[in-house]
Structure formats: structure tokens, C-alpha cells
Amino acid sequence: MSNRYAIVLAAGKGTRMKSKLYKVLHPVLGKPMVQHVVDQLKPLGLEDIITVVGFGAEKVQEQLGDTAQFVVQEEQLGTGHAVQQAEKYLGGKQGTTIVVCGDTPLLTEETIQAALDHHESEQAAVTILTAVADDPTGYGRIVRDDSGQVNKIVEHKDATPAEQAIQEINTGTFCFDNEMLFAALQQVSNDNSQGEYYLPDVIQIAQEQKQKVAAFLTDNFDETIGVNDRVALAKAEVLMKKRVNEHHMRNGVTIIDPANTYIGVDVEIAADVVIEPGTVLKGNTKVEADAIIGPHSEVNDSHIGEGTVVRHSLANESYIGKRVQIGPFAHIRPAADIGNDVKIGNFVEIKKAKVDNNSKVSHLSYIGDAEIGSGVNVGCGTITVNYDGKNKFKTFIEDDAFIGCNANLIAPVRIGKGALIAAGSTIHEDVPGNALSIGRAKQVNKEEYAKKYK
Ligand code: UD1
Ligand code: CA
């Protein structure tokens, strides 16, 4: 195997997206397109991954961080010109260079690997990854001669009607002999309908130099679609969603309505999880066996333990243990740490709070900046009063405490182990373990008094 390098083209303006967001940063299943591309390249054992970014594209660099090196293409003069910018890193090196467009988010590692293997076994100077499209509109067409050899690639806008009828397209992914690539690019002109330096013109130059041009035809066009506008973006989203969902279903996850289930590419789900309709799982979420998520739940960057049920609820950046019941209509906000066998019921919000094993917060509560021990019962409507308008304070509720309905716990405050708080209390001083605390106005009944008002 020779040395391998990659160039990711990501400098195009993306005019057809009609967006202030840089084209390759538009997400597919929650991950920017260019990140999908780089993530598929990373496992291939490449010497360098060079991303060509446009002027002012700091955001692409921010997104990719140190997973890639960058060169700036100050003016977007075409894909050939874009590749040329990488010469300062790759010029003079021996080996194979893969060029991939940053707007082909569905392309897989396996297909790129297969194209590379084909390229090396054919000992070609260039190998084009091609596919057959039902509707090839907008793509460059692969023009072959009578013997089936690739002659050239002609862009849609430059194609004759006969060429436009060709369904085999240039996917935008190429393998090149590195030295041949940079030499040939010097001969590419911009004499075409768009006035751009086209990378595909290298093919014709290689042909003229009697260098070997190969094509690797993938049977999966869907994997190669280029996203130029929001219609294609929506198509990519559907295809990626299908791919991810089918992967999980094959691994033993039940997805009741795959068309209405959105699972990010980095989400991990164990076998025998059931995903109900309308569910969104994003980021670095992990769902353990036998959990049931949904219907209509969203989980971001969170851990959901074995056998836990999350119905009609939202969870963000939190840890949720085993056999927990969440919802309906619960809001688990960042830094919630929920133990095993806990119940977080309807209209409960948990923020930056630990709720230990076997505790219940069943209805209509706000628990923020708190530590709740195990076996605690938090009655309906209980609120941790954590904020005085300037600072946040913490509430501690020790094991086996029982908080009556509608209590206000004014932090900082500590409710001792086994303590009992009377319903309707406003508690602003610590309560010792096993004490009963009542913090409410004494009730007065005035006999017959109501009649006066009627
Ligand atoms: C390109 C190919 C076409 C192929 C299609 C596959 C050319 C001339 N055409 O067309 O044959 O069928 O991809 O999807 O190569 N870019 C730069 N700098 C530039 C121009 C583009 O970095 O100056 C980047 C873009 O960000 C994009 C990629 O190159 O990621 C492709 O450019 P785009 O304008 O999308 O080309 P297509 O018209 O789709
Ligand atoms: Ca494109």
C-alpha cells in the first residue's frame, strides 16, 4: 500500500442553499455534512486530511478542529483550483490522493476504501468513483468511448443533449496518483460555461498523456448524492435516517415508525430497546437494553439506563439510571443525575440535581441545584427555591425524607434524613433528621361567616 492522502473540498459558497450558513456546515441528522465526510475518512489510515476552506470560513475550522489540516482558497474559482491549494502540503509527495467533496455526506468509508483498492489494483493514474442516477440532472456525466474506456467528464451545463442523456455520473470522489494530479492541474483551463477550473478536466489530460484512467462504479447512487440545495438536503436526511435506523433495527432495536424516528449517527442503542414514534435521539446519547423511548421524546447527549421509560419528555446532557419512569411531559435539563428505580412524573423539571435510587418526584415540581437522597418522596407541586435573583443556592434532601405537597424549599436548606415536611410549608431553615416541620399560617375557621358574603 502506498502513502495515502485526502483532500476535502469545502470552500464553495453554496449559493444554491440560499443560506447564511456555510453549505458544508448544514447538518444531516444533526451532524454537519463536512464532518460526516471527515469522519468517514479518518479510519482509512491516511497520512494527511487536508480540507480546503473558503475565505472567512473559520466556522468550518472550528467544527473540524484538529481532525483535519486546512488550506484557504481565497477565491472560489472551481474544484480544480480548490485542489491546487493543497499543493503546499502535498506537492512532490508520492502516493495516492483521494479527493472528496464536503457536500457528499452519505459516502461511506467502505465505498471510499473499495475505490482506493480498485485504484491501486488497476495501477491507474486516476480512478473516478461513478454511479448511475435515475435523474442525473446537475451532475457531471461520464463519457466513455466505444470500448467502454472513460474518455472525459462533461459538466451538465457544458453537455450536449446526447451527453445529458448519460446516466452514469461523476460522484465527485476521485483517487489520483498524487504527483500526476498536481502536474495535470497546471494544464486545466477555465474555458467552459461557468468560467471555472474543473477538477474533472484532469481526466482528459491524463487520457491525452496516455495515463491509465479507471472508473469504479458503485451500485449505490444514494450514497453519493451531492447536496447543493435544500431539496437535496432533505433527501440526504431521509436517506441517512433510513440507514441509521436500519442499522439499529438489525442490531435488535425495535423502531415502531422508522419514518418518524430521528437517531443521530453517534447514538448507541442496545438490543431490545423500543423506540416509539416521534422520537429524536441526538449527540452522544446511549440507551441501554429494554428501555422504551417515546412516543414523542427527545434525548440529547444523555445516558438512559436499562429498562427506563421516557414518554413524551425531553432530556438534555443528563444521566438517567435503570428502571426509571420519566414523564409524560418531564423536562430533564443539563447535569441531572438520576439513580435507579426513580420516578420523575408529569410536569416535573429537574436541573443540575441528583436524585438517588427509589426516590419519587411524581407531579408538578421544579428541582434545581439540589441533591435528593434515596427513598425520598417529593410531593406534588414542591419547588426548590434556588435563585434569589442574583445567586443560585443548593437544596439537600436526605434519604427517606417525605416532602408534603406544595412545599417551597428555600435554598440554601437541608432536610434531614427521614424528616417530614407538612404540605404547604415554606421551609427556609434546616430541618433535623426525623423531625416534622410545619411552616405555614395557622388555619382559622370563622363560623357562619361565609353567609355574610352571599
Ligand atoms: C461537482 C462536479 C460534478 C460532480 C458533482 C458531484 C466539478 C466541476 N463538478 O459539481 O462533476 O458530478 O460535483 O456532486 O467538479 N468547491 C470548492 N471550491 C470551489 C468550488 C467548489 O472548494 O471553487 C467545493 C464545494 O464546497 C463542494 C465541492 O467542491 O463541496 C463541489 O462543488 P460544487 O459547486 O458543489 O460542484 P457541483 O456543481 O456539485
Ligand atoms: Ca455539489
Side-chain angles (χ1 to χ4, degrees):
M1 189 178 102
S2 60
N3 283 341
R4 291 171 171 179
Y5 318 96
I7 301 173
V8 179
L9 301 184
K13 293 189 193 78
T15 321
R16 290 163 282 183
M17 293 300 274
K18 306 223 164 89
S19 177
K20 47 187 183 307
L21 184 65
Y22 213 67
K23 172 164 84 168
V24 297
L25 291 177
H26 277 265
V28 172
L29 270 189
K31 188 194 266 197
M33 294 198 275
V34 68
Q35 187 74 60
H36 281 287
V37 171
V38 170
D39 286 352
Q40 295 301 315
L41 289 170
K42 271 191 296 197
L44 295 174
L46 304 162
E47 301 289 313
D48 293 295
I49 300 178
I50 300 191
T51 303
V52 184
V53 294
F55 184 72
E58 299 81 8
K59 291 217 162 71
V60 178
Q61 303 194 27
E62 229 169 78
Q63 169 63 39
L64 295 174
D66 53 15
T67 56
Q69 288 173 283
F70 301 94
V71 284
V72 176
Q73 183 191 23
E74 300 276 353
E75 256 188 301
Q76 281 68 61
L77 301 179
T79 49
H81 180 258
V83 169
Q84 237 171 357
Q85 309 310 305
E87 190 167 6
K88 74 169 186 197
Y89 285 114
L90 301 182
K93 291 192 179 175
Q94 281 186 340
T96 302
T97 296
I98 317 156
V99 176
V100 190
C101 297
D103 65 353
T104 52
L106 290 143
L107 199 64
T108 60
E109 175 196 337
E110 291 75 17
T111 300
I112 303 170
Q113 180 70 54
L116 266 169
D117 292 345
H118 185 83
H119 176 75
E120 290 182 358
S121 70
E122 291 284 306
Q123 297 187 310
V126 193
T127 300
I128 314 152
L129 177 65
T130 73
V132 174
D134 285 341
D135 175 10
T137 308
Y139 290 94
R141 308 298 205 281
I142 306 295
V143 181
R144 292 178 185 258
D145 64 18
D146 294 341
S147 67
Q149 277 296 311
V150 177
N151 226 331
K152 59 174 183 176
I153 297 173
V154 56
E155 290 305 300
H156 183 94
K157 286 183 179 153
D158 302 303
T160 63
E163 287 166 340
Q164 285 192 1
I166 298 171
Q167 285 182 294
E168 188 182 5
I169 59 116
N170 167 27
T171 65
T173 299
F174 299 87
C175 305
F176 292 103
D177 172 82
N178 188 66
E179 290 162 297
M180 186 290 294
L181 170 64
F182 290 107
L185 279 171
Q186 300 198 341
Q187 298 179 41
V188 170
S189 83
N190 63 352
D191 180 19
N192 52 55
S193 69
Q194 302 190 82
E196 288 186 359
Y197 296 91
Y198 291 163
L199 177 64
D201 286 359
V202 168
I203 305 304
Q204 220 171 339
I205 292 164
Q207 287 290 13
E208 283 158 13
Q209 295 173 350
K210 308 275 179 250
Q211 308 243 31
K212 183 161 183 185
V213 175
F216 180 72
L217 174 66
T218 165
D219 58 6
N220 190 343
F221 166 74
D222 285 350
E223 201 184 287
T224 68
I225 65 168
V227 174
N228 294 328
D229 61 18
R230 310 236 190 184
V231 175
L233 184 66
K235 274 187 197 148
E237 181 86 16
V238 169
L239 292 167
M240 185 77 84
K241 183 174 67 177
K242 184 166 182 280
R243 178 193 292 174
V244 171
N245 289 351
E246 286 177 359
H247 161 80
H248 290 296
M249 290 187 275
R250 290 201 180 91
N251 282 345
V253 175
T254 295
I255 299 180
I256 304 294
D257 185 359
N260 285 299
T261 300
Y262 304 82
I263 302 174
V265 288
D266 299 320
V267 172
E268 288 176 49
I269 311 177
D272 287 323
V273 166
V274 177
I275 313 278
E276 300 274 3
T279 291
V280 180
L281 305 176
K282 291 200 281 200
N284 292 316
T285 288
K286 186 169 184 185
V287 185
E288 304 282 8
D290 303 317
I292 302 173
I293 316 289
H296 304 291
S297 289
E298 179 180 335
V299 180
N300 304 311
D301 294 314
S302 294
H303 173 277
I304 308 289
E306 204 176 303
T308 284
V309 179
V310 182
R311 293 202 196 278
H312 297 279
S313 292
L314 170 60
N316 277 314
E317 296 166 44
S318 290
Y319 184 94
I320 299 167
K322 298 177 184 173
R323 300 173 300 276
V324 174
Q325 302 283 322
I326 306 269
F329 314 111
H331 187 183
I332 311 298
R333 291 174 52 198
D337 177 2
I338 296 171
N340 300 331
D341 303 293
V342 167
K343 181 173 179 201
I344 306 294
N346 39 217
F347 307 106
V348 172
E349 177 176 339
I350 308 277
K351 185 218 78 169
K352 210 175 178 182
K354 182 174 165 68
V355 182
D356 212 341
N357 299 344
N358 297 301
S359 287
K360 291 189 171 69
V361 188
S362 297
H363 337 261
L364 300 157
S365 281
Y366 171 65
I367 303 295
D369 303 299
E371 263 181 47
I372 298 182
S374 63
V376 169
N377 193 325
V378 176
C380 174
T382 292
I383 302 292
T384 53
V385 184
N386 61 328
Y387 185 49
D388 65 3
K390 287 197 188 106
N391 296 302
K392 302 262 169 81
F393 299 96
K394 240 178 133 170
T395 300
F396 295 86
I397 306 176
E398 295 182 359
D399 297 350
D400 305 316
F402 185 98
I403 315 294
C405 289
N406 224 36
N408 292 311
L409 307 175
I410 302 182
V413 70
R414 179 179 290 271
I415 313 298
K417 186 167 168 13
L420 183 60
I421 305 297
S425 291
T426 293
I427 302 295
H428 55 91
E429 280 172 18
D430 289 356
V431 177
N434 295 317
L436 164 66
S437 183
I438 308 175
R440 64 191 184 212
K442 199 168 161 58
Q443 182 172 332
V444 179
N445 290 345
K446 297 192 174 178
E447 298 285 341
E448 298 298 307
Y449 215 77
K451 283 184 179 164
K452 281 217 233 171
Y453 291 97
K454 285 186 179 162

